[in-house]
Amino acid sequence: KIILKTLKAETGIVSSAPYEDTPVIQNNAWYLPYAQYLKDMVDKDSTNFYPDHLMTRKEIVEILNAL
């Protein structure tokens, strides 16, 4: 969230689940617009987001390099 806000990334309303483990039923989940942005821009082939999983340094660097 912090990185995408710093980059002024355009996030919007999520209408369909970006990943299998991020259902839109939980529309109040703060991470849904950011998960959708990453799915669209960086992580097109993954099926899971793992919202409860802590990110490793390697994963953070991979996202930063892709942006």
Side-chain angles (χ1 to χ4, degrees):
K1 177 179 178 178
I2 294 168
I3 293 167
L4 294 180
K5 285 219 174 251
T6 302
L7 295 173
K8 296 182 171 111
E10 298 277 334
T11 59
I13 297 172
V14 177
S15 58
S16 63
Y19 296 92
E20 292 177 9
D21 59 353
T22 56
V24 178
I25 295 168
Q26 299 173 341
N27 201 18
N28 60 348
W30 64 268
Y31 56 80
L32 280 176
Y34 305 103
Q36 182 68 57
Y37 183 86
L38 288 175
K39 178 74 172 180
D40 293 343
M41 304 305 277
V42 177
D43 200 23
K44 297 177 183 217
D45 297 327
S46 292
T47 57
N48 289 304
F49 182 66
Y50 306 107
D52 295 327
H53 170 262
L54 294 176
M55 293 181 72
T56 65
R57 281 182 240 158
K58 178 183 182 235
E59 291 168 328
I60 293 170
V61 169
E62 287 174 347
I63 290 172
L64 288 173
N65 283 333
L67 295 173

